[in-house]
Amino acid sequence: MSLARLRLARTEGVGPALHRKLLARHGSAEAALAALGPRAFPREAAEREMAALAAMDARLIFLGEPDYPPLLALIEDAPLVLAAQGSLAPLRQRGVGLVGARNASGTARRFAEDLADALAVRDICVISGLARGIDAAAHAGALRSGSTIAAIAGGLDRPYPRENAALQARIIAEGGLVLSEAPLGTAPLARHFPRRNRIVAGLSLGVVVIEAALQSGTLITARLAAEAGRELFAVPGSPLDPRSRGSNDLIRRGARLTETAEDVLQFLPEAPAALPILRLAELPEIPVEAMEDAPPASGGAAQVIEMIGATPIPVDELGRRCQLSPAELSAILLELELAGRIETLPGNRVALA
């Protein structure tokens, strides 16, 4: 079962939404793989990945399993599988994300370390992305008195930056946890970091931003946290320092001004809000990669795709225009999504990929 689920999760073009559709249509991961045919991720490659993870005392956690982080499962594009190395105990604690600039000032790094320590003392798990600067300081501070979770962009065997390899090993050795959505051997490329950021946001009840420039990657995490209904905090900085303009702007727009651990704890909920706490300005979207070598569309699919453009269209409206039954339309949309021709968007809408 785990092998089939890993193969389905690793199949190119099968994201969370399409994964759910395949399971609903075929009933099991094995049946979905059979339907995908040669497009499915190779069995031998999946077996090698599982063996390599076992050799480094790591394991896989699949969406829907008891050990899967319940808060992360609530986000719309929750990872289908996580590679985990270390203790799973931190997943059972309330968590707060601490994120900020990679080129952070010395003062901000000290603040992040002390804030993480103060939260850890109160049995709060500190979550960050193991980058240099604020992330590294947050992990180090949390380990003084408690636990921490690091979500990384590459494979578990590809620490990045290299200077934080020792910190990653320390997190694992001292009761923390390192998580990755990527297969072993995956290099941490630029396009992987927004997806890593959504894991940090998804694991957290609240996210604290410490030094973030305008249009920085840190603000992607802030936006994702707000969209997931998580509390948002920001530490004020000098208006003369460009590294603080993004975090100061978050405060201007409603984030909780944060100077101490108490500022976080008094507003930290037991569960995420039902609706976004803040509506942040649009930031770069997480890229979605479509399947390659798409087969030609069938006659019905050709009719549907003519009605779909770059602008999203509601599926109900599409069905009316094409005069297709919901069952017929659903089958055609699944065919087109498998072929990488369209993508499904929030609000039951579709658009050309």
Side-chain angles (χ1 to χ4, degrees), residues 36-59:
L36 288 169
R39 292 168 179 254
F41 190 75
R43 179 186 182 91
E44 297 76 13
E47 289 173 339
R48 287 195 298 270
E49 181 178 353
M50 294 182 73
L53 286 167
M56 57 193 295
D57 200 23
R59 56 164 295 183

Side-chain angles (χ1 to χ4, degrees), residues 101 185 270 292:
E270 292 295 330
E292 298 178 353

Side-chain angles (χ1 to χ4, degrees), residues 177-250:
L177 179 64
V178 179
L179 295 174
S180 174
E181 186 179 12
L184 291 176
T186 301
L189 303 178
R191 67 175 182 269
H192 298 151
F193 286 90
R195 299 191 64 78
R196 182 277 313 269
N197 293 353
R198 94 189 192 289
I199 295 176
V200 173
L203 289 168
S204 307
L205 283 168
V207 170
V208 183
V209 176
I210 307 171
E211 279 194 352
L214 290 170
Q215 300 181 348
S216 65
T218 299
L219 296 187
I220 295 178
T221 308
R223 186 204 71 192
L224 294 170
E227 289 176 351
R230 312 303 159 90
E231 193 69 57
L232 194 57
F233 306 85
V235 177
S238 169
L240 303 178
D241 189 342
R243 292 171 294 192
S244 294
R245 288 178 182 165
S247 42
N248 287 348
D249 186 57
L250 290 176

Side-chain angles (χ1 to χ4, degrees), residues 27 43 76 100 103 123 164 256 264 284 324:
R43 179 186 182 91
E76 187 168 3
N103 63 336
D123 199 33
N164 284 349
R256 307 283 188 185
V264 176
L324 293 169

Side-chain angles (χ1 to χ4, degrees), residues 273-297:
L275 296 173
I277 294 169
L278 283 179
R279 294 190 179 277
L280 302 180
E282 199 65 32
L283 289 167
E285 295 184 357
I286 298 170
V288 178
E289 296 181 359
M291 280 186 172
E292 298 178 353
D293 301 322

Side-chain angles (χ1 to χ4, degrees), residues 67 86-94 123 125 147-149 175-177:
D67 288 331
S87 171
L88 298 184
L91 294 176
R92 295 188 283 273
Q93 297 177 256
R94 291 200 300 167
D123 199 33
C125 177
S147 62
T148 186
I149 296 174
L177 179 64

